[in-house]
Structure formats: structure tokens, C-alpha cells
Amino acid sequence: MTLKYGMIGGGKDAFIGGVHRKAIALDSTAELVAGAFSSNPEKALASGKELGVKRNYPTWEAMLEGELALPEEERIDFVVIVTPNHMHYPTAKAFAEAGFNVVSDKPLVHSSEQAEDLVRIVQEKGVVFGVTYNYTGYPMVRQAREMVRRGDLGKIRKVIVEYNQGWLATRLEETGAKQADWRTDPKRSGIAGAMGDIGSHAENLMGSITGLHISHICADLTTFVEGRQLDDDGNVLLRFENGAKGVLIASQIEIGMENDLRIRVFGEKGSLVWHQEDPNSLEFHRLGEPVQILKRGNDYLCDAAKKATRIPAGHPEAFLEAFANIYRGVAEAIEARKAGTPLTEFEFPTVQEGAIGVKFIEKVVESSHSDQKWTEF
């Protein structure tokens, strides 16, 4: 049975809302039946009318009240939050406390205090809560994770993850560009700019593949564009609990770079290389042997990678399919909860991983402001 969902934010002219809706539709995971698509009630209603939703609300508060007034079987099964960052916490908190399953865009919230509150609510209410770190949905990312887990690389020694963009190399926020405007505003974006927007993706990808836990951070954040209030470039040295070392780069002022997310993982026996702009391939370097190029859609891949694949090898899958894999995992968890057999392992980033991402942003900012070489995580 198709699930029902509602959306907060993501209305007309919003990039990411359309991405979420397309991803959910890809597998017919759920039907969009309700929404409050803007902080402006008139725009919200206009967007809802354009999208043809059955229950069109002017505000998210009206949406919550309206859904709770319905018989339980008619209510939305989950809510998708695709607002600017400052609205994640109040909306997620209200819906989770009311017993609704939640999917929130990243970063989860503005502070660890808010994140820990959401973790508590999710545990108390037993709701499903996903965070759309969508790059973990790629089949070859899941293949990389499995290879690390089963010891193909041996003990991990070093991880290098980069997220390179160039779209904010000028003061784009002054031109009326909506996406640049809120991302560079600390009231809406939070305490970090590039590090919060894309550095959080890099941290989650690194943690998802390697399973490593950060112990210490040494960060250098810079605002290169004059007049900008938040960082637009960040470089971070990492120490992990197992003794491994890492480097994380997140920049939005690197001219010529589009969406260049890449990761290299080095172990005692081998290494892996994955590049988001070439997502269907995974390089595997085994000590003393020729390089292997593993390809999406082949039978030699692990079960998780094969499950995340829809079409045969040689037919590229990418961004929307990875997003859809996150929602497929969320839907499976919601169906299991409805059946009274809740899952204990999830194929999507959870509220706990979202909370780690928030802590990472805070510690990077703290380290960058400190004269001390290493900041404990």
C-alpha cells in the first residue's frame, strides 16, 4: 500500500523540494497529499494548488492541526521538511511529538541541544526519523561501506574527503539568488556556511563508509568573499579513535568546481576511491595488484549495492536514484513500524547521525576560533 506524505517548504522556485518529490515518486514510495510549501501563506497555498495536493495548508502549524483532526488512517504517514535550516527544529519537534514519522533535510538543526532533544523525542515516541544525507544512497557508496566492513582494506589508516564547489565564488546572495541568500545568512543557515551546507555531507559520507569515530579536530575556516558573514571555505584535520588520520575539505569558492564530492580511504591492505561526479564506478587498489574498477549493476557487488540499483550495468544512475534509495529505506522502516515489527537496522541516515553532523559543525567552528591545535570531539 502506498504511503501518504506531507511536505513543509519546497514550494515554487525551491530547488530541493522538487528533488525530494521526484525521488519519492521514482519508486511510487508515497503519495504527496498535504503540504505547507512556504513561510508565506499566500505562496504556500499557490504552490499547493500548482502541485494539486488534496490538503493545502497556509502554514505548517495549520497542517499539523489539520492532520491531527483526521481519522488516524487518513493522516499522512510521514512529513518531509525541506525548509531553510532554522525551521528544521520547530517543525520536526512538533510533528515527532505528535507521533508523525519525519524526514528532514540536512543539517538536522542549529545546535546539539536541539539535536539531542530530537533524539530523545524519537526514542520516546518510537517514530521513524530520517535525515537526507542523500549521497549514502549511491550503490557504490554502499559497496565501499561493505568492503571496509568485511576487511578488504585492512585496518583504516587515512581518509581524505573533499566537497568542492565554486558557485559562491562571488557575492551571489546580493543578486537575489534565493539559494545563496539563506545559505549565507547566519539567522537561517546557522553558525557555519560551506562547512554546514556541504561539509556536513562530507562528514556523513566519511562516517558511513568507514564507520570511524572522530576523536579530535583541527579546523581552519575562511570567508574569502568580502562582506559575507559565514565561512565559504574550510579545511579540517581529523584524528579518529582507532588511530587513523583524516582530511576534510569543504569549499564553495573554488571556481570551475560544480559538485565535486570525492572520498579516498586508505587501509593496511588496500584503498578505495569514489567520486560523486562519476558515481557508478569505485576504484579498488589492493596492495601489490593492478587497480580494479568496480561498476554498478554487476552481480559481483554486495547485496546492499545490488538492492540500491534499478537498471542494468552501463545505464547510468545518479543523484535522483540515490535520493530515492534513502526514501525507500524510510518507507520500509515506516511499513515495519505500522506492522508492529520495527526495524533495528536502517538503510538511511537516522536522527542520531544527524545529531553527529550538528556536533561536527559546532566543533569545527569551535576549533577554527581556537588558538589550541587540537579540539576534542
Side-chain angles (χ1 to χ4, degrees):
M1 181 174 63
T2 302
L3 299 173
K4 302 180 293 295
Y5 79 98
M7 180 170 281
I8 301 173
K12 191 175 181 180
D13 300 326
F15 160 68
I16 203 64
V19 169
H20 283 255
R21 290 190 291 271
K22 291 181 178 73
I24 294 169
L26 192 60
D27 295 316
S28 299
T29 300
E31 178 188 2
L32 178 63
V33 300
F37 297 98
S38 173
S39 57
N40 180 306
E42 291 182 0
K43 290 182 180 179
L45 292 172
S47 291
K49 183 178 180 181
E50 188 175 300
L51 290 167
V53 295
K54 297 174 182 177
R55 301 192 291 273
N56 193 10
Y57 298 99
T59 66
W60 69 264
E61 293 93 340
M63 178 175 161
L64 178 57
E65 182 180 353
E67 293 301 306
L68 286 173
L70 294 170
E72 191 169 347
E73 65 275 9
E74 295 181 20
R75 298 173 187 170
I76 56 172
D77 293 296
F78 64 100
V79 64
V80 175
I81 300 169
V82 286
T83 65
N85 302 345
H86 71 295
M87 289 305 300
H88 291 181
Y89 177 65
T91 52
K93 175 181 172 69
F95 276 82
E97 283 185 329
F100 289 96
N101 303 301
V102 177
V103 178
S104 174
D105 215 341
K106 45 49 61 188
L108 179 61
V109 287
H110 272 186
S111 70
S112 283
E113 183 180 4
Q114 293 175 343
E116 290 162 7
D117 191 37
L118 288 183
V119 170
R120 176 189 60 79
I121 293 167
V122 168
Q123 292 173 341
E124 289 179 357
K125 297 294 182 178
V127 297
V128 174
F129 197 118
V131 182
T132 49
Y133 288 112
N134 56 291
Y135 298 108
T136 61
Y138 279 100
M140 301 315 289
V141 168
R142 295 183 176 182
Q143 175 67 24
R145 179 187 64 186
E146 175 61 23
M147 293 174 72
V148 171
R149 284 179 176 177
R150 71 189 183 201
D152 291 5
L153 278 66
K155 183 181 178 181
I156 302 304
R157 290 172 166 170
K158 186 173 183 177
V159 186
I160 303 172
V161 59
E162 305 170 49
Y163 203 150
N164 308 298
Q165 294 181 342
W167 71 292
L168 289 178
T170 63
R171 204 168 178 190
L172 189 62
E173 58 268 31
E174 293 295 300
T175 69
K178 182 178 179 180
Q179 298 302 318
D181 181 50
W182 76 258
R183 280 177 168 81
T184 55
D185 177 6
K187 292 181 180 177
R188 289 177 286 172
S189 184
I191 62 173
M195 192 54 64
D197 189 26
I198 60 175
S200 58
H201 269 303
E203 180 277 325
N204 182 261
L205 179 68
M206 178 185 63
S208 178
I209 290 177
T210 68
L212 296 178
H213 300 285
I214 299 170
S215 64
H216 294 81
I217 282 176
C218 177
D220 182 19
L221 297 181
T222 304
T223 305
F224 279 107
V225 176
E226 189 175 350
R228 183 168 286 160
Q229 298 181 70
L230 294 172
D231 61 275
D232 47 30
D233 181 85
N235 303 278
V236 186
L237 295 177
L238 302 166
R239 288 178 173 175
F240 298 99
E241 291 178 358
N242 77 329
K245 303 299 172 65
V247 179
L248 185 149
I249 297 171
S251 181
Q252 293 177 316
I253 51 83
E254 296 176 344
I255 293 171
M257 298 295 100
E258 295 177 335
N259 202 52
D260 181 23
L261 172 62
R262 59 179 67 208
I263 186 168
R264 289 174 282 170
V265 183
F266 301 94
E268 293 177 338
K269 298 191 299 183
S271 66
L272 292 171
V273 180
W274 181 77
H275 185 196
Q276 194 273 154
E277 292 183 346
D278 182 21
N280 292 281
S281 301
L282 176 67
E283 287 185 24
F284 178 36
H285 302 258
R286 197 191 298 270
L287 182 64
E289 297 183 14
V291 61
Q292 296 182 37
I293 308 296
L294 308 180
K295 293 280 193 173
R296 182 204 55 79
N298 285 284
D299 287 340
Y300 54 71
L301 299 179
C302 68
D303 289 342
K306 288 188 282 190
K307 181 181 178 181
T309 299
R310 291 168 180 76
I311 54 179
H315 300 80
E317 290 186 358
F319 187 76
L320 287 177
E321 289 87 351
F323 239 111
N325 287 332
I326 301 299
Y327 276 105
R328 181 189 285 175
V330 169
E332 290 173 353
I334 292 173
E335 294 282 15
R337 182 190 177 216
K338 292 175 72 173
T341 55
L343 301 180
T344 55
E345 294 187 7
F346 305 99
E347 276 292 2
F348 59 90
T350 64
V351 68
Q352 286 85 359
E353 289 166 82
I356 291 171
V358 173
K359 182 180 179 181
F360 172 76
I361 294 167
E362 290 177 334
K363 289 296 182 179
V364 166
V365 172
E366 178 186 338
S367 173
S368 185
H369 290 160
S370 173
D371 291 331
Q372 185 175 322
K373 183 175 180 179
W374 291 102
T375 297
E376 189 171 355
F377 191 73

